[in-house]
Amino acid sequence: MSHPDWYGQLLPAVRTLWRALRMPVFDPGDYAHTEILDAAVGLLGAHYRHKAAVGQLTRISQPDTEIQQGEWRVVSDFFAEASRDIATLIARVDTVLAFEA
């Protein structure tokens, strides 16, 4: 599949995204497309929090699991917060890409 000439200017290089996701200290301001790199780093963290919440929801929904009072609320709030963060970060990337196109 071929892309238009401007396609490569929209997104950071794969190498840059990989670096952003793997480096313990990464300053998106050092690179072009700061908004997208910042969102990618945020998405990784939100994904891990979302995944942890799903695991906890799965655990406490088992019939033989003893649930502490308020545990459902804490875990569901954690899940909802991570879900909102993911949606917000994806919307940010979509906005940048729509503006660039």
Side-chain angles (χ1 to χ4, degrees):
M1 177 169 131
S2 70
H3 299 288
D5 292 339
W6 51 263
Y7 182 81
Q9 298 170 3
L10 289 181
L11 300 173
V14 172
R15 184 179 333 142
T16 304
L17 276 172
W18 185 248
R19 195 175 297 134
L21 297 175
R22 301 221 7 146
M23 290 178 65
V25 176
F26 181 85
D27 183 4
D30 291 341
Y31 298 89
H33 311 290
T34 311
E35 302 91 350
I36 294 174
L37 292 173
D38 191 39
V41 172
L43 278 168
L44 183 64
H47 167 70
Y48 287 142
R49 289 185 289 116
H50 191 268
K51 188 175 176 180
V54 168
Q56 288 298 317
L57 286 169
T58 301
R59 181 189 62 78
I60 65 177
S61 67
Q62 300 303 313
D64 59 341
T65 301
E66 203 173 299
I67 302 170
Q68 302 295 324
Q69 185 169 352
E71 191 172 7
W72 271 106
R73 176 67 177 213
V74 170
V75 175
S76 63
D77 286 351
F78 191 67
F79 176 81
E81 181 182 346
S83 297
R84 280 191 303 272
D85 290 348
I86 289 169
T88 300
L89 290 163
I90 288 172
R92 187 184 310 166
V93 170
D94 287 347
T95 300
V96 170
L97 293 178
F99 180 73
E100 292 287 332

Short mmCIF file of all heavy atoms in Angstrom, two decimals, residues 37-78:
data_model
loop_
_atom_site.label_atom_id
_atom_site.label_comp_id
_atom_site.label_asym_id
_atom_site.label_seq_id
_atom_site.Cartn_x
_atom_site.Cartn_y
_atom_site.Cartn_z
N LEU A 37 3.43 11.90 20.82
CA LEU A 37 4.34 11.13 21.68
C LEU A 37 3.90 11.20 23.14
O LEU A 37 3.91 10.19 23.85
CB LEU A 37 5.77 11.64 21.54
CG LEU A 37 6.42 11.37 20.19
CD1 LEU A 37 7.77 12.07 20.11
CD2 LEU A 37 6.57 9.88 19.96
N ASP A 38 3.48 12.36 23.58
CA ASP A 38 3.00 12.52 24.95
C ASP A 38 1.77 11.64 25.18
O ASP A 38 1.64 10.96 26.19
CB ASP A 38 2.68 13.99 25.21
CG ASP A 38 2.44 14.28 26.66
OD1 ASP A 38 3.14 13.71 27.51
OD2 ASP A 38 1.55 15.11 26.95
N ALA A 39 0.87 11.63 24.19
CA ALA A 39 -0.32 10.79 24.31
C ALA A 39 0.03 9.31 24.30
O ALA A 39 -0.55 8.52 25.04
CB ALA A 39 -1.30 11.11 23.17
N ALA A 40 1.02 8.92 23.50
CA ALA A 40 1.43 7.51 23.44
C ALA A 40 1.96 7.04 24.79
O ALA A 40 1.62 5.95 25.27
CB ALA A 40 2.49 7.30 22.35
N VAL A 41 2.78 7.89 25.42
CA VAL A 41 3.31 7.54 26.74
C VAL A 41 2.16 7.45 27.74
O VAL A 41 2.08 6.52 28.55
CB VAL A 41 4.37 8.57 27.19
CG1 VAL A 41 4.78 8.35 28.63
CG2 VAL A 41 5.59 8.50 26.27
N GLY A 42 1.22 8.39 27.69
CA GLY A 42 0.06 8.36 28.56
C GLY A 42 -0.82 7.16 28.32
O GLY A 42 -1.36 6.56 29.26
N LEU A 43 -0.99 6.79 27.05
CA LEU A 43 -1.80 5.62 26.72
C LEU A 43 -1.21 4.34 27.29
O LEU A 43 -1.95 3.46 27.74
CB LEU A 43 -1.97 5.48 25.20
CG LEU A 43 -3.05 6.35 24.59
CD1 LEU A 43 -2.93 6.36 23.06
CD2 LEU A 43 -4.43 5.86 25.00
N LEU A 44 0.09 4.24 27.27
CA LEU A 44 0.72 3.04 27.82
C LEU A 44 0.40 2.91 29.31
O LEU A 44 -0.02 1.85 29.78
CB LEU A 44 2.24 3.07 27.60
CG LEU A 44 2.99 1.84 28.06
CD1 LEU A 44 2.56 0.60 27.28
CD2 LEU A 44 4.49 2.06 27.92
N GLY A 45 0.56 3.99 30.05
CA GLY A 45 0.24 3.96 31.48
C GLY A 45 -1.23 3.69 31.73
O GLY A 45 -1.59 2.89 32.61
N ALA A 46 -2.10 4.34 30.97
CA ALA A 46 -3.54 4.13 31.13
C ALA A 46 -3.92 2.69 30.78
O ALA A 46 -4.78 2.09 31.43
CB ALA A 46 -4.32 5.12 30.26
N HIS A 47 -3.27 2.14 29.77
CA HIS A 47 -3.54 0.74 29.39
C HIS A 47 -3.19 -0.21 30.54
O HIS A 47 -3.95 -1.12 30.86
CB HIS A 47 -2.75 0.37 28.14
CG HIS A 47 -2.71 -1.09 27.86
ND1 HIS A 47 -3.80 -1.80 27.44
CD2 HIS A 47 -1.70 -1.98 27.99
CE1 HIS A 47 -3.46 -3.07 27.31
NE2 HIS A 47 -2.20 -3.21 27.63
N TYR A 48 -2.04 0.00 31.16
CA TYR A 48 -1.64 -0.87 32.28
C TYR A 48 -2.61 -0.75 33.45
O TYR A 48 -2.96 -1.74 34.09
CB TYR A 48 -0.21 -0.55 32.73
CG TYR A 48 0.85 -1.03 31.78
CD1 TYR A 48 1.99 -0.27 31.56
CD2 TYR A 48 0.73 -2.23 31.10
CE1 TYR A 48 2.97 -0.70 30.68
CE2 TYR A 48 1.70 -2.67 30.22
CZ TYR A 48 2.82 -1.90 30.02
OH TYR A 48 3.79 -2.34 29.15
N ARG A 49 -3.06 0.49 33.74
CA ARG A 49 -4.03 0.67 34.83
C ARG A 49 -5.36 0.02 34.48
O ARG A 49 -6.00 -0.62 35.32
CB ARG A 49 -4.23 2.16 35.12
CG ARG A 49 -3.02 2.78 35.78
CD ARG A 49 -3.22 4.23 36.19
NE ARG A 49 -3.27 5.11 35.03
CZ ARG A 49 -4.34 5.82 34.64
NH1 ARG A 49 -5.45 5.79 35.33
NH2 ARG A 49 -4.27 6.60 33.58
N HIS A 50 -5.78 0.14 33.23
CA HIS A 50 -7.03 -0.47 32.76
C HIS A 50 -6.95 -1.99 32.86
O HIS A 50 -7.87 -2.65 33.35
CB HIS A 50 -7.27 -0.03 31.31
CG HIS A 50 -8.62 -0.35 30.79
ND1 HIS A 50 -8.88 -1.52 30.11
CD2 HIS A 50 -9.78 0.34 30.84
CE1 HIS A 50 -10.15 -1.53 29.74
NE2 HIS A 50 -10.72 -0.42 30.18
N LYS A 51 -5.83 -2.54 32.42
CA LYS A 51 -5.61 -3.99 32.46
C LYS A 51 -5.62 -4.50 33.91
O LYS A 51 -6.21 -5.55 34.20
CB LYS A 51 -4.29 -4.31 31.78
CG LYS A 51 -4.01 -5.76 31.59
CD LYS A 51 -2.72 -5.93 30.80
CE LYS A 51 -2.37 -7.39 30.67
NZ LYS A 51 -1.13 -7.60 29.90
N ALA A 52 -5.00 -3.76 34.81
CA ALA A 52 -4.99 -4.15 36.23
C ALA A 52 -6.41 -4.12 36.80
O ALA A 52 -6.80 -5.02 37.55
CB ALA A 52 -4.08 -3.22 37.04
N ALA A 53 -7.17 -3.10 36.44
CA ALA A 53 -8.55 -3.01 36.93
C ALA A 53 -9.41 -4.15 36.40
O ALA A 53 -10.23 -4.72 37.14
CB ALA A 53 -9.15 -1.66 36.54
N VAL A 54 -9.23 -4.50 35.13
CA VAL A 54 -9.99 -5.63 34.57
C VAL A 54 -9.65 -6.91 35.33
O VAL A 54 -10.53 -7.71 35.66
CB VAL A 54 -9.72 -5.80 33.05
CG1 VAL A 54 -10.25 -7.12 32.53
CG2 VAL A 54 -10.33 -4.64 32.28
N GLY A 55 -8.37 -7.11 35.63
CA GLY A 55 -7.96 -8.28 36.41
C GLY A 55 -8.61 -8.31 37.78
O GLY A 55 -9.08 -9.35 38.24
N GLN A 56 -8.66 -7.15 38.45
CA GLN A 56 -9.29 -7.08 39.77
C GLN A 56 -10.80 -7.29 39.67
O GLN A 56 -11.39 -7.98 40.51
CB GLN A 56 -9.00 -5.72 40.43
CG GLN A 56 -7.57 -5.57 40.88
CD GLN A 56 -7.21 -6.62 41.94
OE1 GLN A 56 -7.97 -6.90 42.85
NE2 GLN A 56 -6.05 -7.22 41.77
N LEU A 57 -11.44 -6.71 38.66
CA LEU A 57 -12.88 -6.93 38.48
C LEU A 57 -13.18 -8.40 38.22
O LEU A 57 -14.17 -8.94 38.74
CB LEU A 57 -13.41 -6.07 37.32
CG LEU A 57 -13.55 -4.59 37.61
CD1 LEU A 57 -13.83 -3.81 36.33
CD2 LEU A 57 -14.64 -4.33 38.65
N THR A 58 -12.34 -9.04 37.44
CA THR A 58 -12.51 -10.47 37.17
C THR A 58 -12.35 -11.27 38.46
O THR A 58 -13.16 -12.16 38.75
CB THR A 58 -11.48 -10.94 36.13
OG1 THR A 58 -11.67 -10.18 34.93
CG2 THR A 58 -11.64 -12.42 35.83
N ARG A 59 -11.35 -10.92 39.25
CA ARG A 59 -11.10 -11.63 40.51
C ARG A 59 -12.27 -11.49 41.47
O ARG A 59 -12.75 -12.47 42.03
CB ARG A 59 -9.82 -11.11 41.16
CG ARG A 59 -9.46 -11.82 42.47
CD ARG A 59 -8.33 -11.14 43.20
NE ARG A 59 -8.59 -9.78 43.62
CZ ARG A 59 -9.34 -9.43 44.68
NH1 ARG A 59 -9.91 -10.36 45.42
NH2 ARG A 59 -9.51 -8.17 44.99
N ILE A 60 -12.74 -10.27 41.67
CA ILE A 60 -13.79 -10.07 42.68
C ILE A 60 -15.18 -10.47 42.19
O ILE A 60 -16.11 -10.54 42.98
CB ILE A 60 -13.81 -8.62 43.24
CG1 ILE A 60 -14.18 -7.61 42.18
CG2 ILE A 60 -12.49 -8.29 43.90
CD1 ILE A 60 -14.28 -6.18 42.70
N SER A 61 -15.29 -10.75 40.90
CA SER A 61 -16.60 -11.20 40.40
C SER A 61 -16.78 -12.72 40.50
O SER A 61 -17.86 -13.23 40.22
CB SER A 61 -16.80 -10.74 38.96
OG SER A 61 -15.88 -11.41 38.11
N GLN A 62 -15.72 -13.43 40.92
CA GLN A 62 -15.82 -14.88 41.07
C GLN A 62 -16.73 -15.20 42.25
O GLN A 62 -16.67 -14.55 43.29
CB GLN A 62 -14.43 -15.49 41.30
CG GLN A 62 -13.46 -15.26 40.16
CD GLN A 62 -13.98 -15.78 38.84
OE1 GLN A 62 -14.47 -16.89 38.74
NE2 GLN A 62 -13.90 -14.94 37.81
N PRO A 63 -17.59 -16.22 42.11
CA PRO A 63 -18.56 -16.53 43.16
C PRO A 63 -17.94 -16.87 44.52
O PRO A 63 -18.52 -16.58 45.55
CB PRO A 63 -19.33 -17.73 42.61
CG PRO A 63 -18.84 -17.98 41.25
CD PRO A 63 -17.68 -17.09 40.97
N ASP A 64 -16.76 -17.45 44.52
CA ASP A 64 -16.16 -17.89 45.78
C ASP A 64 -15.21 -16.85 46.38
O ASP A 64 -14.50 -17.12 47.34
CB ASP A 64 -15.43 -19.22 45.60
CG ASP A 64 -14.33 -19.14 44.55
OD1 ASP A 64 -14.35 -18.20 43.73
OD2 ASP A 64 -13.46 -20.02 44.56
N THR A 65 -15.20 -15.65 45.83
CA THR A 65 -14.30 -14.61 46.32
C THR A 65 -14.99 -13.80 47.41
O THR A 65 -16.10 -13.34 47.26
CB THR A 65 -13.89 -13.66 45.17
OG1 THR A 65 -13.25 -14.42 44.17
CG2 THR A 65 -12.95 -12.58 45.66
N GLU A 66 -14.27 -13.65 48.52
CA GLU A 66 -14.77 -12.82 49.60
C GLU A 66 -14.43 -11.37 49.26
O GLU A 66 -13.28 -11.02 49.00
CB GLU A 66 -14.09 -13.22 50.91
CG GLU A 66 -14.89 -12.85 52.13
CD GLU A 66 -14.26 -13.43 53.37
OE1 GLU A 66 -14.16 -14.67 53.47
OE2 GLU A 66 -13.85 -12.63 54.22
N ILE A 67 -15.43 -10.51 49.26
CA ILE A 67 -15.25 -9.12 48.84
C ILE A 67 -15.34 -8.21 50.06
O ILE A 67 -16.28 -8.29 50.84
CB ILE A 67 -16.32 -8.73 47.80
CG1 ILE A 67 -16.24 -9.64 46.59
CG2 ILE A 67 -16.13 -7.27 47.38
CD1 ILE A 67 -17.39 -9.49 45.64
N GLN A 68 -14.34 -7.35 50.21
CA GLN A 68 -14.35 -6.37 51.28
C GLN A 68 -15.35 -5.27 50.94
O GLN A 68 -15.58 -4.95 49.78
CB GLN A 68 -12.95 -5.74 51.43
CG GLN A 68 -11.86 -6.73 51.73
CD GLN A 68 -12.04 -7.40 53.08
OE1 GLN A 68 -12.49 -6.78 54.03
NE2 GLN A 68 -11.72 -8.67 53.14
N GLN A 69 -15.91 -4.68 51.98
CA GLN A 69 -16.88 -3.60 51.76
C GLN A 69 -16.19 -2.45 51.01
O GLN A 69 -15.10 -2.03 51.37
CB GLN A 69 -17.42 -3.10 53.09
CG GLN A 69 -18.50 -2.07 52.92
CD GLN A 69 -19.22 -1.79 54.22
OE1 GLN A 69 -19.00 -2.47 55.21
NE2 GLN A 69 -20.07 -0.81 54.21
N GLY A 70 -16.81 -1.99 49.97
CA GLY A 70 -16.27 -0.88 49.18
C GLY A 70 -15.30 -1.29 48.10
O GLY A 70 -14.87 -0.45 47.31
N GLU A 71 -14.93 -2.58 48.05
CA GLU A 71 -13.94 -3.01 47.06
C GLU A 71 -14.46 -2.84 45.63
O GLU A 71 -13.73 -2.39 44.75
CB GLU A 71 -13.53 -4.47 47.30
CG GLU A 71 -12.33 -4.89 46.48
CD GLU A 71 -11.81 -6.26 46.88
OE1 GLU A 71 -12.44 -6.96 47.70
OE2 GLU A 71 -10.75 -6.64 46.35
N TRP A 72 -15.72 -3.17 45.41
CA TRP A 72 -16.30 -2.99 44.08
C TRP A 72 -16.19 -1.53 43.65
O TRP A 72 -15.85 -1.23 42.51
CB TRP A 72 -17.78 -3.41 44.05
CG TRP A 72 -17.99 -4.85 43.73
CD1 TRP A 72 -18.37 -5.82 44.60
CD2 TRP A 72 -17.84 -5.48 42.46
NE1 TRP A 72 -18.45 -7.03 43.95
CE2 TRP A 72 -18.14 -6.85 42.64
CE3 TRP A 72 -17.48 -5.04 41.20
CZ2 TRP A 72 -18.10 -7.77 41.59
CZ3 TRP A 72 -17.44 -5.95 40.16
CH2 TRP A 72 -17.73 -7.30 40.37
N ARG A 73 -16.51 -0.65 44.58
CA ARG A 73 -16.49 0.78 44.27
C ARG A 73 -15.08 1.26 43.91
O ARG A 73 -14.88 1.97 42.92
CB ARG A 73 -17.03 1.56 45.47
CG ARG A 73 -17.00 3.04 45.36
CD ARG A 73 -17.95 3.50 44.29
NE ARG A 73 -17.95 4.94 44.25
CZ ARG A 73 -18.98 5.64 43.94
NH1 ARG A 73 -20.13 5.06 43.66
NH2 ARG A 73 -18.91 6.94 43.92
N VAL A 74 -14.11 0.86 44.69
CA VAL A 74 -12.73 1.27 44.45
C VAL A 74 -12.25 0.76 43.09
O VAL A 74 -11.70 1.52 42.28
CB VAL A 74 -11.79 0.79 45.57
CG1 VAL A 74 -10.32 1.00 45.21
CG2 VAL A 74 -12.12 1.48 46.88
N VAL A 75 -12.48 -0.51 42.83
CA VAL A 75 -12.00 -1.11 41.58
C VAL A 75 -12.76 -0.54 40.38
O VAL A 75 -12.16 -0.22 39.35
CB VAL A 75 -12.11 -2.65 41.62
CG1 VAL A 75 -11.74 -3.26 40.29
CG2 VAL A 75 -11.20 -3.21 42.71
N SER A 76 -14.06 -0.37 40.51
CA SER A 76 -14.82 0.17 39.39
C SER A 76 -14.45 1.63 39.12
O SER A 76 -14.40 2.07 37.97
CB SER A 76 -16.33 0.01 39.60
OG SER A 76 -16.75 0.74 40.72
N ASP A 77 -14.16 2.40 40.16
CA ASP A 77 -13.70 3.78 39.97
C ASP A 77 -12.35 3.81 39.27
O ASP A 77 -12.11 4.64 38.38
CB ASP A 77 -13.59 4.51 41.31
CG ASP A 77 -14.94 4.89 41.89
OD1 ASP A 77 -15.97 4.75 41.20
OD2 ASP A 77 -14.96 5.33 43.07
N PHE A 78 -11.45 2.91 39.66
CA PHE A 78 -10.13 2.80 39.04
C PHE A 78 -10.27 2.45 37.56
O PHE A 78 -9.62 3.04 36.69
CB PHE A 78 -9.32 1.73 39.79
CG PHE A 78 -7.86 1.69 39.44
CD1 PHE A 78 -7.02 2.74 39.79
CD2 PHE A 78 -7.33 0.60 38.79
CE1 PHE A 78 -5.66 2.69 39.49
CE2 PHE A 78 -5.97 0.55 38.48
CZ PHE A 78 -5.14 1.59 38.83
#
